[in-house]
C-alpha cells in the first residue's frame, strides 16, 4: 500500500479515514482533539449557542430504493445537528454536476430535497452550483452545511458516555447500506429493503426532556454501528459491551448479509441513532422512542461496562465474547 496516495478506503469512515484525519487533515487545519470530534461543532457567538455541520454526498447510484442522493443530503446534515441536541434551522446546498447529467433527474432530486427540508422544518437559504466536463465527475455530488440552535445546557457528545449507560438504537440496522448495494449491483432481492433515510430531529426533541440522563447521541452512518461505537468508546475512554441477540436487524438485511459475507454491524444507516442513557432512565427513553414513528423497533443493545482506552466487545449468541474493531476501509464504499 502506497502511503503517499489517497485510497477509496480513506473515505469509508473506518480506520483509514481516522488515520487521514488524525495524521494529516486535523493537525493542519484545526487540531481538534479526539474527544471533540463530534457530528457538529458547537459555537457560542455573543451568548447564542449554535451547532454547525457540513457533509458531502457521493452515493452511487444516486437513486436507490426509498430515496435518492437529494433527500439523503438533507436528512444527513439535519441529523448531524440533531445529534448535538440542536434544533436545525437552515441549510446551504452545493452541487457539482457532470456535463451530460439529465435535467429531469436533477429535477427529481431537487423536489426530494425540498420535501425532506420541509418535513424536517429547515430552510434551504443559500448554495452554489458548478459543472465539470464529462468524465471528470460522476453525475452529481452534493454538499450540505447546516446551522442549528442549541436551546439547552446539556452535555451531549461522544466524550460523555458513563459507566452503566444503556445503549439504545431506534430501529433495525443496515437497511440503507443494503438498499444502496442492491441498486448498485442490480441484485434481484425480493425483500422490500429500502433506505431508512429520515430526519431524526423530531425524535431527538422527544428525548431532550430526559435532561442530564441523556449523555450521547450519534447516528451510525458510514462504518455502521460498530465503527460509531468504537469512536464513542475512544472519545469517552470506556468499554462498551453489546448483546448480539438484542440487535434489531431486518430479516431481509440479515439474509443478504449472510449470502454476501457482510456484517450488519458495519453496514451504513441513515435514519438511526444511538443514545447513551443513564441506567435509571433507559426504559423511559426506550418508551419515548417506541411512541415515535421512527422508533417503533427501538431496542437496548448494550451498555457501558467499564473504563478503558476505547474497547468495544460483543456477547455472542453462543455465549462467547468477541472484540469489535473498526474495519480498515468499508464493506460498501460510496454509500452516502
Amino acid at each position: 500500500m502506497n502511503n503517499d496516495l489517497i485510497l477509496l478506503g480513506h473515505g469509508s469512515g473506518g480506520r483509514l479515514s481516522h488515520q487521514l484525519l488524525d495524521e494529516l487533515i486535523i493537525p493542519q487545519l484545526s487540531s481538534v482533539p479526539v474527544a471533540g470530534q463530534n457530528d457538529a461543532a458547537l459555537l457560542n457567538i455573543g451568548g447564542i449557542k449554535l451547532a454547525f455541520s457540513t457533509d458531502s454526498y457521493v452515493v452511487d447510484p444516486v437513486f436507490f430504493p426509498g430515496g435518492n442522493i437529494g433527500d439523503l443530503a438533507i436528512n444527513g446534515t439535519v441529523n448531524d445537528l440533531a445529534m448535538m441536541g440542536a434544533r436545525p434551522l437552515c441549510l446551504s446546498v452545493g452541487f457539482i454536476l457532470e456535463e451530460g447529467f439529465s435535467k429531469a433527474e436533477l429535477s427529481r432530486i431537487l423536489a426530494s430535497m425540498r420535501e425532506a427540508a420541509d418535513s424536517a422544518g429547515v430552510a434551504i437559504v443559500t448554495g452554489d452550483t458548478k459543472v465539470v466536463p464529462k468524465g471528470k465527475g460522476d453525475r452529481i455530488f452534493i454538499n450540505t452545511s447546516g446551522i442549528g440552535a442549541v436551546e439547552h445546557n446539556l452535555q451531549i457528545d461522544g466524550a460523555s458516555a458513563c459507566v452503566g449507560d444503556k445503549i439504545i438504537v431506534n430501529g433495525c440496522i443496515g437497511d440503507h447500506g443494503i438498499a444502496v448495494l442492491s441498486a448498485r449491483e442490480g441484485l434481484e432481492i425480493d425483500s422490500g429493503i429500502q433506505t431508512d433515510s429520515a430526519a431524526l430531529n423530531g425524535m431527538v426533541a422527544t428525548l431532550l426532556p430526559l435532561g442530564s440522563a441523556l449523555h450521547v447521541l450519534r447516528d451510525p452512518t458510514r462504518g455502521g454501528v460498530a465503527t460509531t461505537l468504537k469512536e464513542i468508546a475512544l472519545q469517552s475512554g470506556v468499554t462498551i459491551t453489546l448483546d448480539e441477540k438484542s440487535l434489531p436487524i431486518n430479516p431481509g438485511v440479515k439474509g443478504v448479509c449472510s449470502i454476501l459475507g457482510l456484517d450488519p454491524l458495519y453496514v451504513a444507516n441513515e435514519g438511526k441513532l444511538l443514545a447513551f442513557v443513564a441506567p435509571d432512565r433507559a426504559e423511559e427513553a426506550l418508551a419515548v422512542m417506541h411512541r415515535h414513528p421512527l422508533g417503533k423497533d427501538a431496542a437496548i443493545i448494550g451498555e457501558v461496562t467499564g473504563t478503558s482506552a476505547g474497547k468495544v466487545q460483543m456477547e455472542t449468541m453462543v455465549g462467547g465474547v468477541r472484540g469489535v474493531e473498526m474495519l480498515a476501509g468499508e464493506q460498501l464504499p460510496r454509500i452516502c
Side-chain angles (χ1 to χ4, degrees):
M1 186 179 297
N2 190 330
N3 290 330
D4 292 331
L5 301 178
I6 298 297
L7 307 174
L8 191 59
H10 282 114
S12 68
R15 182 159 45 85
L16 285 177
S17 289
H18 285 78
Q19 288 177 352
L20 184 65
L21 288 169
D22 295 340
E23 296 174 6
L24 185 60
I25 296 176
I26 290 176
Q28 295 202 47
L29 293 182
S30 66
S31 299
V32 176
V34 170
Q37 294 172 23
N38 295 299
D39 284 338
L42 292 178
L43 309 173
N44 192 317
I45 301 176
I48 299 173
K49 294 193 296 183
L50 300 172
F52 176 63
S53 185
T54 189
D55 209 341
S56 298
Y57 296 84
V58 297
V59 63
D60 176 34
V62 297
F63 296 95
F64 42 82
N68 62 64
I69 191 173
D71 52 67
L72 180 67
I74 299 298
N75 291 335
T77 294
V78 165
N79 291 345
D80 283 346
L81 296 170
M83 293 308 106
M84 306 305 294
R87 178 170 60 89
L89 298 174
C90 54
L91 303 177
S92 72
V93 174
F95 297 101
I96 298 177
L97 306 174
E98 183 184 25
E99 179 186 18
F101 186 58
S102 163
K103 286 185 178 179
E105 290 188 342
L106 178 59
S107 180
R108 285 177 59 193
I109 290 169
L110 294 173
S112 71
M113 295 179 79
R114 180 59 184 268
E115 182 178 355
D118 289 347
S119 178
V122 297
I124 299 171
V125 296
T126 190
D128 182 53
T129 302
K130 295 292 190 296
V131 179
V132 297
K134 191 170 184 63
K136 301 296 185 180
D138 192 355
R139 306 187 74 195
I140 178 173
F141 298 150
I142 300 176
N143 172 273
T144 46
S145 297
I147 296 173
V150 181
E151 299 166 322
H152 57 78
N153 293 314
L154 304 176
Q155 183 77 21
I156 302 173
D157 58 41
S160 296
C162 299
V163 175
D165 280 355
K166 301 297 184 180
I167 303 167
I168 309 173
V169 66
N170 64 300
C172 295
I173 65 173
D175 289 7
H176 175 72
I178 298 304
V180 172
L181 174 68
S182 65
R184 181 185 301 171
E185 303 299 334
L187 301 178
E188 297 182 3
I189 304 172
D190 187 20
S191 62
I193 300 171
Q194 294 194 330
T195 178
D196 62 343
S197 177
L200 296 169
N201 53 318
M203 175 180 286
V204 169
T206 68
L207 292 172
L208 290 177
L210 291 167
S212 60
L214 183 61
H215 297 155
V216 182
L217 292 170
R218 187 69 65 85
D219 56 337
T221 53
R222 292 181 305 167
V225 167
T227 299
T228 301
L229 290 177
K230 184 67 175 181
E231 292 172 348
I232 295 168
L234 289 167
Q235 284 182 271
S236 294
V238 297
T239 295
I240 291 172
T241 302
L242 293 175
D243 178 7
E244 186 175 23
K245 64 179 180 294
S246 298
L247 295 172
I249 305 174
N250 181 316
V253 169
K254 188 177 294 186
V256 172
C257 287
S258 178
I259 292 169
L260 298 180
L262 303 175
D263 187 337
L265 273 177
Y266 295 93
V267 178
N269 313 271
E270 291 293 344
K272 298 297 180 295
L273 62 77
L274 296 167
F276 285 58
V277 182
D280 59 335
R281 305 291 296 277
E283 290 297 332
E284 179 184 350
L286 186 63
V288 168
M289 286 191 189
H290 282 159
R291 290 193 292 269
H292 193 279
L294 297 177
K296 59 185 178 63
D297 295 318
I300 296 175
I301 62 172
E303 64 181 302
V304 179
T305 52
T307 58
S308 70
K311 180 179 180 181
V312 181
Q313 60 189 13
M314 184 163 67
E315 295 179 349
T316 67
M317 291 185 182
V318 296
V321 177
R322 70 172 177 88
V324 177
E325 299 292 341
M326 288 186 189
L327 300 181
E330 190 173 31
Q331 295 180 118
L332 307 173
R334 289 189 61 185
I335 217 72
C336 62

